[in-house]
Amino acid sequence: MSKAFIATGIVALSLILSSWLPYLNPGKWWLSGFAGLFFPIVFLINLVYLVYWLIRKKPYWGLSLAGILLSCRALLVTFGHHPAGHAATPQRGSFTLMTFNSSSMGLKKYVEDSAIKQSIYTTLASATPDILCMQEFYTNSGPDHTDHLNAIKEKLHYPYHYFTCDKTRWNTWQYGIVLFSKYPIVSACHIPCGHSDVGSGSSILQADIKINEHTIRIFTAQLQSYMFRHKDYAALQGETSQAKGLAARMKNTFGKRSAQAEQLAALIKESPYPGIVCGDFNDVPVSYTYNTISPNLQDAFLEQGWGIGRTLSFLAPTLRIDYILTQSPFHVNGFSSFPHKGFEHFPIMASLSL
């Protein structure tokens, strides 16, 4: 058995494992939590092997092809296949919904970054979503600070909103998840789902909204984050010797996030109204998180998007971790991403109709 055959087989097997291991709950089988992160990379390596062996006219290409065929489902949820897809723009009989992890509105070490703050407001004003869901939202009614809650309401003309206010510091520094709407909010609440030091990640925001003669239910959340700090990113890049501790923290996060995904999936299933779930899942499409939440839901990016759909601006270009998922009564008319410089997460927006 040649070394070339063994190497090709290992790559093909790695691709299959990265596709199927994420169906296992990482709270019990922690390796499954890591597997999907490597899928796009292993897929590209496998594809290179396939092309190489076809050019060389060697039979090893069959191993590479088998790996791709057995990973089709993961492939379909990773890449958007609509190069001519429509952008999310206002249309007659439809509404637009945006989800955006605002990373505390540009607040860094309790100091506002005015450039990022201005870029956020410019982006929101340009997109003008009818419904705006924001995670890691920060607002401050104290002097010499920005009351983002009221500023967005007034500048972007949102008559309705609901804010979870999951954490308050020094009386006026407030953090959580917020939903702004140009349509009436019939009822809203926040459902506890865990604990986060930064507020977001502690609850799921649920809101029933009246759009013309229809009532829809929206869930928006930020699922459990790894809570990486600057030194952790250095470890991921091999610059320090703390990778072992980092892996342990990731393993602990897998269990918490999988439980939140199951809770969110149950809420969607029980909804008496057509449902939309959006937000920062902190996980890739090839993951237990996505596999748990997405069954019987449409992924707005997959319906109208093209390419890898990156929503996290750092670490790797393959990280799509922010989503808009809808139940079947909705039709996805368009999808847009806003990859602006300085944003940690890129806002995404869908045009939807019933």
Side-chain angles (χ1 to χ4, degrees):
M1 190 178 295
S2 70
K3 292 181 179 179
F5 177 85
I6 294 173
T8 305
I10 289 173
V11 172
L13 180 61
S14 298
L15 179 63
I16 295 168
L17 290 175
S18 70
S19 302
W20 291 99
L21 279 178
Y23 282 94
L24 299 175
N25 188 332
K28 300 176 180 178
W29 310 91
W30 60 268
L31 277 176
S32 69
F34 291 100
L37 295 171
F38 299 101
F39 173 79
I41 298 169
V42 180
F43 169 76
L44 290 175
I45 295 172
N46 198 78
L47 189 61
V48 169
Y49 267 87
L50 174 62
V51 173
Y52 177 76
W53 293 129
L54 283 172
I55 293 173
R56 294 288 304 274
K57 298 182 179 179
K58 296 287 186 179
Y60 306 147
W61 65 265
L63 289 173
S64 301
L65 180 61
I68 292 173
L69 291 176
L70 290 171
S71 307
C72 278
R73 200 271 174 181
L75 185 63
L76 291 174
V77 300
T78 298
F79 298 99
H81 302 88
H82 300 276
H86 298 95
T89 55
Q91 300 176 29
R92 184 179 178 85
S94 69
F95 64 95
T96 52
L97 180 147
M98 173 183 280
T99 182
F100 179 29
N101 180 327
S102 72
S103 304
S104 299
M105 299 297 290
L107 189 73
K108 297 181 179 179
K109 296 182 179 179
Y110 302 108
V111 177
E112 289 186 352
D113 186 314
S114 57
I116 292 178
K117 181 179 75 171
Q118 183 57 47
S119 184
I120 289 173
Y121 276 86
T122 300
T123 300
L124 297 181
S126 174
T128 61
D130 295 315
I131 300 171
L132 171 62
C133 301
M134 303 178 77
Q135 307 83 40
E136 281 193 36
F137 181 74
Y138 154 78
T139 187
N140 197 325
S141 59
D144 303 320
H145 298 289
T146 304
D147 186 345
H148 291 292
L149 191 64
N150 284 309
I152 291 176
K153 284 172 55 182
E154 293 171 5
K155 292 181 180 180
L156 302 178
H157 311 293
Y158 288 112
Y160 310 99
H161 82 281
Y162 182 79
F163 179 39
T164 63
C165 192
D166 292 315
K167 183 173 183 177
T168 300
R169 279 190 173 181
W170 306 306
N171 298 320
T172 62
W173 301 63
Q174 297 180 326
Y175 305 83
I177 303 172
V178 66
L179 181 149
F180 297 97
S181 177
K182 294 181 180 178
Y183 296 99
I185 297 176
V186 178
S187 64
C189 65
H190 64 281
I191 302 166
C193 68
H195 171 74
S196 169
D197 290 337
V198 297
S200 288
S202 303
S203 66
I204 298 167
L205 190 159
Q206 173 184 297
D208 295 340
I209 298 177
K210 191 77 171 179
I211 299 180
N212 301 323
E213 72 275 16
H214 301 288
T215 299
I216 68 169
R217 177 164 289 182
I218 295 176
F219 301 95
T220 183
Q222 179 191 23
L223 303 189
Q224 187 69 37
S225 168
Y226 296 118
M227 297 302 295
F228 288 154
R229 297 177 177 84
H230 181 75
K231 63 179 181 180
D232 298 322
Y233 294 121
L236 285 171
Q237 297 170 1
E239 298 176 11
T240 72
S241 59
Q242 301 177 22
K244 186 175 180 181
L246 200 59
R249 186 191 303 177
M250 291 177 72
K251 286 166 59 177
N252 184 51
T253 299
F254 291 152
K256 294 179 180 179
R257 190 161 59 227
S258 63
Q260 290 176 332
E262 291 168 355
Q263 180 182 2
L264 188 51
L267 290 170
I268 299 165
K269 188 175 181 180
E270 295 166 2
S271 173
Y273 307 115
I276 300 171
V277 57
C278 65
D280 174 10
F281 292 0
N282 272 306
D283 224 333
V284 293
V286 186
S287 66
Y288 181 80
T289 302
Y290 185 88
N291 291 336
T292 300
I293 298 170
S294 66
N296 302 315
L297 300 180
Q298 303 171 96
D299 186 323
F301 168 72
L302 298 180
E303 293 294 319
Q304 291 285 346
W306 166 250
I308 199 78
R310 178 185 190 178
T311 65
L312 190 68
S313 65
F314 52 94
L315 285 182
T318 59
L319 296 178
R320 180 166 78 96
I321 64 174
D322 301 86
Y323 304 89
I324 298 173
L325 308 177
T326 73
Q327 290 185 318
S328 57
F330 291 97
H331 179 71
V332 181
N333 303 307
F335 177 88
S336 296
S337 177
F338 302 84
H340 294 306
K341 184 178 180 180
F343 289 1
E344 292 186 10
H345 290 251
F346 301 142
I348 56 174
M349 185 168 76
S351 173
L352 305 169
S353 59
L354 280 164

